[in-house]
Every structure is written in structure tokens, then in C-alpha cells.
Amino acid sequence: MRTMIVTGGTGAIGAAVVGRLAAEPVVDRIAVLTRAPSGARQQRLLQSWNAGDRVPVVFLHGKLPELVEAGATLRADLTHIVHLAADTRFSAAPEESRAANVCGTAAVLDYARTCPRLAAMTVASTVYVAGLRSGAIRERELEHGAGFANNYEASKHEMEVLVRAAMGDLPLSVCRLSTAIGEDGTGEVTSLNAFHTALRLMYGGLVPMIPGADDTPIDVISTGFAAQALRRLATEAFRPGETYHVCAGSDAPTLGAVLDAAMRTMRARRPAWRKRAIAMPVLADEPTYELFVRSVHESGDAMMAAATRAVESFARQLTRPKIFDTANAVGALGDAWHRPDSLGLCEDVVRYCVENEWKAAA
Ligand SMILES: NC(=O)c1ccc[n+]([C@@H]2O[C@H](COP(=O)([O-])OP(=O)(O)OC[C@H]3O[C@@H](n4cnc5c(N)ncnc54)[C@H](OP(=O)(O)O)[C@@H]3O)[C@@H](O)[C@H]2O)c1
């Protein structure tokens, strides 16, 4: 019986990936690793994945470091691993990010080495393993000395170094995603991330200044596009030893366009908000932004300080404009590369957030 393990299948991207995997009979059963198999979200997901004539999905209870034990009974039949589990918090301490993202991945690699029939293991990463580099970023590139905007990026980079080293003895590929912000068409958001947090604070008038320039690319994608690309790259389009950028690439909208679209949508959806006359945030270079941050922290304004801290966990990225090359991913996906318009997606997501008072769908 061909078996697949998905780690992180209950997450924002993971749930959508499992839904798509269950619809394609590439394997005979799917086991989703979770730390909490009986949570309300988990049960809802299990029902939706198993609705209709699909590949059966079950939960495998465990944490990443214990995967070798938790997955022992599946080892002989295991053909595919999709490793998505991660601590995705930008504000996590370095040891927390490393525990899940580096040590957790090392445990999955150890487990993979014990599976005699393993044909494909796909690891989700982030385009921001490029850290504070600027300019064109190629899919084959990894090492750099530019530093990182937060511990999440640093830990994912370290994870990729581990994965590259293991490509010599395991069938491995890496899918680097950019920021998934919501669903195509509806703009529905199932999990709020840094993108939504920044816009919510802007909506509250708590972001008078943002680092970056009008033409800084903002690489965002839809959850559906990320999940569909991942599904394919992990199954029929799987090629060992490859790294892919699943992102908007050269079609990424600019910071100026995203802010314009966001302000326009907020004004149109909330006439009462329009009366507050909240101004468009000023775009500033890095030294000016750092002065602003210092003055906010010295001012004693607790609300503004908390808002500024939330933006700080990714703000430096905005001063390092980059374009992610997608040649490898486009080549592997061919006709299946259907990336929706990112600026239209931003508008849909802002509309969804305003109408749902910045709450994610259950
Ligand atoms: N969402 C994005 O925009 C984005 C962008 C770039 C890259 N990525 C990458 O894509 C992957 C999926 O992201 P996501 O947004 O779906 O993440 P998410 O919503 O934060 O979910 C994280 C998942 O990881 C699992 N997990 C966390 N720590 C674990 C541990 N110690 N042991 C076992 N499972 C653990 C959680 O499962 P349980 O709580 O059920 O145990 C959960 O399903 C991640 O690798 C992330 O780095 C995502």
C-alpha cells in the first residue's frame, strides 16, 4: 500500500495541500502528523478531507522529534513525505525557531532514511532564506552573508543547508513559498500573518511610516496557488535535487501599488472609516525608519510601540528589494503554473479582512 506522510497538514497552507492530495490517487492513504489530533479544527479538517470518494486521510499523533517512533508502523509502505510543519512565527526566540525548523527537519530526514520504499520527499521553505540580500535571487542559490530579518528566516536557511546535504542520499526537493495571503476570488483568509497584521494596524491608524520605496516588490501569492503548486511538485512533477520558487516573481506588485489598493479598498468598504481621514503611511529609507522606531519607543505611547514592534519583525525586508526567479518552478509545472494576479488578490484579501473585522475564517 503506497503511503504518504504530511507534516504540518493542519496549517494554513498544509490543510489546502492535503485537500488537493486527497483528491488525486497518487498514494493509497495519507497520514497527517499533528500534535493535537482531537482539536475542533483538526476534526473539521478530517471530515472535509474525507468527504466523497477520495484517498483516505488519518491523523498520526506526534511531534516532529518523535516522528521516528510515531511513524514506525508506516515505515515499510511509505513512498512520499511532504514536510510542511514549522514554527512560522517571525517573533519566536532563536531556540524555538531552531527546535521546530532545524531539529524537526533533521528528525524527518532521519525517519526518511529508515523507509525502504521512499520515492519522494518535498520540504516547504520560504523565499526569504535569501534573508537581507537584494536584487535577483535564483532558485539554486542558498549561501550568503547578508543576514536575516528574523529568526524564522535564519532557521529556514539552516534547514535548507541540512536538506541540501541530505540530497546525496535521499530523494529530496525544496519548495520555497512567498507569502500566501488568502484565497483566489474570495480573498478568504484562514490564518492571519505579517501581511494582514501590517494592514490591520494601518487600518487602525497605527502605521504612520513604513520602510521601503514606492517600487519595492511585494511578493504575495494565493493559498490555492501555493497548495496546488506544492501538490504537483511533490507528486507527478517531483524531481530529486531541485529547488523551486513558488511565488509571484517578476509579476510581484510594488509596495506603492499594494498600499494604494489597500487604502482604496478600505475607503470603499467602510465610509465611516473614510471620515477618520487616516493618511497613507509615509515610505522612508532605513535610517529614517530607525529614527522613527526609536522615537516611538521613547514616546511612552504603548499602543504605537506595540504596533511598531509588530512591524519590526519583517520591516527590514522592505528595504532590501528582491525579485525571485521562478524559471525552475515554471519549467517543472508547465501548463499547471496558473498564478493569479497578485494585486487583485491583495484587494480581495483587504476587502475580506475589513468585512470580517480582521478575523480569519474558522
Ligand atoms: N503561509 C505562508 O505564507 C508561507 C510562506 C512561506 C513558507 N511557508 C512554509 O510553508 C509551510 C506551511 O506553512 P503554514 O503557513 O501552513 O504554517 P502554519 O499555519 O503556521 O502551521 C504550522 C503547522 O506545523 C505544525 N507544527 C508546528 N510545530 C510542530 C512540531 N513541533 N511538530 C509537529 N508539527 C508541528 C502544526 O501542526 P499541529 O499544530 O497540528 O501540530 C501546523 O500544522 C511551513 O514550512 C512554512 O515555513 C509558508
Side-chain angles (χ1 to χ4, degrees), residues 8-14 33-36 42 62-64 84-86 88 124-126 152 156 177-180 193:
T10 58
I13 302 273
L33 183 76
T34 177
R35 294 164 296 179
Q42 270 74 349
K63 292 184 185 160
L64 285 176
L84 308 169
T88 56
S125 186
T126 166
Y152 167 71
K156 282 293 208 178
L177 310 179
S178 71
T179 313
N193 60 31

Side-chain angles (χ1 to χ4, degrees), residues 234-317:
T235 54
E236 64 260 42
F238 177 80
R239 273 188 277 166
E242 298 292 344
T243 299
Y244 304 101
H245 282 166
V246 175
C247 63
S250 54
D251 293 338
T254 62
L255 179 57
V258 171
L259 290 176
D260 262 349
M263 292 296 278
R264 211 177 331 108
T265 309
M266 289 172 187
R267 283 193 200 109
R269 304 314 290 185
R270 284 280 182 273
W273 183 80
R274 198 165 49 214
K275 291 203 193 100
R276 291 179 60 193
I278 289 171
M280 174 85 103
V282 172
L283 298 181
D285 58 21
E286 201 170 0
T288 311
Y289 184 71
E290 275 168 14
L291 271 178
F292 162 76
V293 170
R294 213 172 314 137
S295 68
V296 168
H297 291 312
E298 284 166 7
S299 72
D301 182 335
M303 212 157 153
M304 191 64 100
T308 306
R309 252 193 306 279
V311 175
E312 272 178 273
S313 64
F314 60 91
R316 289 176 76 202
Q317 272 302 343

Side-chain angles (χ1 to χ4, degrees), residues 135-303:
I137 312 291
R138 315 238 172 262
E139 288 156 303
R140 64 171 184 279
E141 294 172 336
L142 178 59
E143 288 306 340
H144 64 83
F148 299 95
N150 52 55
N151 297 322
Y152 167 71
E153 291 177 5
S155 68
K156 282 293 208 178
H157 182 274
E158 193 178 344
M159 174 200 82
E160 275 203 35
V161 172
L162 266 188
V163 172
R164 286 231 170 158
M167 280 177 175
D169 66 313
L170 284 172
L172 276 163
S173 72
V174 174
C175 290
R176 293 178 185 155
L177 310 179
S178 71
T179 313
I181 59 171
E183 280 303 338
D184 310 314
T186 60
E188 183 178 283
V189 176
T190 48
S191 172
L192 300 177
N193 60 31
F195 179 86
H196 312 102
T197 303
L199 288 170
R200 181 169 54 79
L201 294 171
M202 192 174 122
Y203 188 72
L206 292 167
V207 186
M209 186 178 281
I210 293 183
D214 205 53
D215 60 355
T216 301
I218 300 295
D219 202 306
V220 291
I221 49 174
S222 71
T223 313
F225 169 69
Q228 183 59 14
L230 250 166
R231 184 202 72 71
R232 251 185 107 86
L233 292 168
T235 54
E236 64 260 42
F238 177 80
R239 273 188 277 166
E242 298 292 344
T243 299
Y244 304 101
H245 282 166
V246 175
C247 63
S250 54
D251 293 338
T254 62
L255 179 57
V258 171
L259 290 176
D260 262 349
M263 292 296 278
R264 211 177 331 108
T265 309
M266 289 172 187
R267 283 193 200 109
R269 304 314 290 185
R270 284 280 182 273
W273 183 80
R274 198 165 49 214
K275 291 203 193 100
R276 291 179 60 193
I278 289 171
M280 174 85 103
V282 172
L283 298 181
D285 58 21
E286 201 170 0
T288 311
Y289 184 71
E290 275 168 14
L291 271 178
F292 162 76
V293 170
R294 213 172 314 137
S295 68
V296 168
H297 291 312
E298 284 166 7
S299 72
D301 182 335
M303 212 157 153

Side-chain angles (χ1 to χ4, degrees), residues 2-4 21 24-30 55-56 79-80 235:
R2 295 161 306 163
T3 302
M4 172 185 279
L21 286 165
E24 306 281 333
V26 173
V27 291
D28 304 302
R29 59 176 171 171
I30 299 173
V55 178
T79 50
H80 292 73
T235 54

